[in-house]
Amino acid sequence: MRPRMARSVRPQPKVSVREGRIIGAEALVRWVSPDRGLVPPNEFIPIAEETGLISSIGEWVLESACRQAAAWVRKGLPPVRVAVNLSARQFYSPGFIDSVRRILAESEVRPGAIELELTESMMMQNVQHVADLLMELKLLGLHISVDDFGTGYSSLGYLKRLPLDALKIDRSFVRDVPGDQDDVAITSAVVALAHSLRLKVVAEGVETDEQLAFLRELGCDEIQGFLLSKPVPAEGFEALLRRDVRLGPVAARNAA
């Protein structure tokens, strides 16, 4: 019998641009094959969505993230907010809110330590229904962000109707800044729009010092990407937090 693939949640650090320290993480699910090692998400996520397994996987990731966030606090590490991606199937399932409430209670995590990320397309299916669901989640103390902002529907009316905390600039817009003037214009507009609505801005896919310098100049609030760290096992993220405590900002070399 061939050994089965194992699931793994690997946090990728989020860093405050202003403070230069780790203030959060995105919990990214990975599948580990005994033959191939890490299997890329673009291979297993579509299969999980097609087979309907995406909801159970999403619930498992949320449980893992909550338990881990609570464990880091018990170890005396600096408080961080852990972000979890939601699938449309999971978000719209009838028992979703009850499931979140149960997971928060069982893990004993501080609700403010958890952030849920939804895509624009998920939010636009039924804006009023989404607003009601998000308000219930906000009442539980959770943070809400829009993932891959700018790649979905062009209507911006939902931004003032939904109880949001942050917008995430998609990596496709970050990849070629500051060299590509179109991406510069889009990224600048997203930052200005978010701040005018009192929302934080997170840029993902940051890989170069030039990108970081540009985003800092724009006033982007948080960044994540390979420039800082790839997704790492939980113990690796814990080591980064401990190093951050002892040595100061992990991005100190870019602070000048």
Side-chain angles (χ1 to χ4, degrees):
M1 180 182 297
R2 296 184 59 186
R4 297 177 61 185
M5 293 195 299
R7 294 180 293 190
S8 172
V9 172
R10 302 204 168 199
Q12 183 176 38
K14 290 183 179 180
V15 169
S16 165
V17 175
R18 181 175 61 85
E19 300 176 20
R21 65 181 182 87
I22 297 175
I23 46 82
E26 181 177 356
L28 299 170
V29 63
R30 295 292 184 262
W31 287 86
V32 185
S33 166
D35 300 323
R36 299 173 51 194
L38 287 177
V39 179
N42 61 347
E43 290 189 22
F44 69 81
I45 292 295
I47 296 174
E49 290 177 340
E50 183 178 341
T51 58
L53 291 174
I54 194 66
S55 291
S56 60
I57 292 174
E59 182 171 322
W60 176 80
V61 172
L62 180 58
E63 289 177 341
S64 300
C66 288
R67 288 196 302 269
Q68 189 61 73
W72 286 329
V73 171
R74 288 194 296 270
K75 291 180 179 181
L77 292 168
V80 293
R81 182 176 300 132
V82 182
V84 176
N85 294 284
L86 299 180
S87 69
R89 187 187 293 266
Q90 179 185 10
F91 180 65
Y92 286 110
S93 64
F96 174 64
I97 300 295
D98 289 338
S99 173
V100 172
R101 188 179 290 110
R102 173 186 58 79
I103 291 170
L104 293 175
E106 291 177 353
S107 64
E108 298 183 340
V109 69
R110 178 176 57 88
I114 300 299
E115 180 176 10
L116 301 180
E117 296 187 359
L118 297 84
T119 64
E120 285 183 280
S121 57
M122 288 168 57
M123 294 182 174
M124 292 301 296
Q125 294 182 27
N126 184 332
V127 175
Q128 187 54 56
H129 180 51
V130 170
D132 293 339
L133 290 175
L134 293 185
M135 186 55 67
E136 290 192 65
L137 294 170
K138 291 288 290 182
L139 291 174
L140 294 175
L142 300 170
H143 287 247
I144 308 295
S145 66
V146 183
D147 194 18
D148 300 338
F149 183 76
T151 62
Y153 289 83
S154 58
S155 172
L156 300 178
Y158 73 93
L159 290 179
K160 66 179 183 180
R161 297 180 57 186
L162 300 179
L164 305 173
D165 296 290
L167 303 182
K168 292 190 72 176
I169 304 175
D170 186 69
R171 66 183 66 248
S172 64
F173 301 126
V174 174
R175 182 174 54 237
D176 295 324
V177 298
D180 187 293
Q181 292 306 304
D182 290 337
D183 287 339
V184 165
I186 292 171
T187 303
S188 302
V190 171
V191 172
L193 173 65
H195 286 168
S196 69
L197 294 171
R198 299 177 295 282
L199 302 175
K200 289 188 177 296
V201 185
V202 183
E204 57 183 358
V206 179
E207 299 184 356
T208 69
D209 290 320
E210 291 75 20
Q211 292 168 344
L212 176 57
F214 169 74
L215 292 165
R216 176 183 288 113
E217 185 176 349
L218 279 185
C220 185
D221 300 291
E222 302 171 16
I223 58 171
Q224 68 181 95
F226 286 3
L227 177 65
L228 307 168
S229 174
K230 295 181 179 181
V232 293
E235 58 271 18
F237 183 79
E238 182 176 322
L240 289 174
L241 280 179
R242 293 188 184 280
R243 187 178 73 184
D244 197 32
V245 172
R246 294 199 307 268
L247 302 179
V250 295
R253 67 185 180 86
N254 297 311

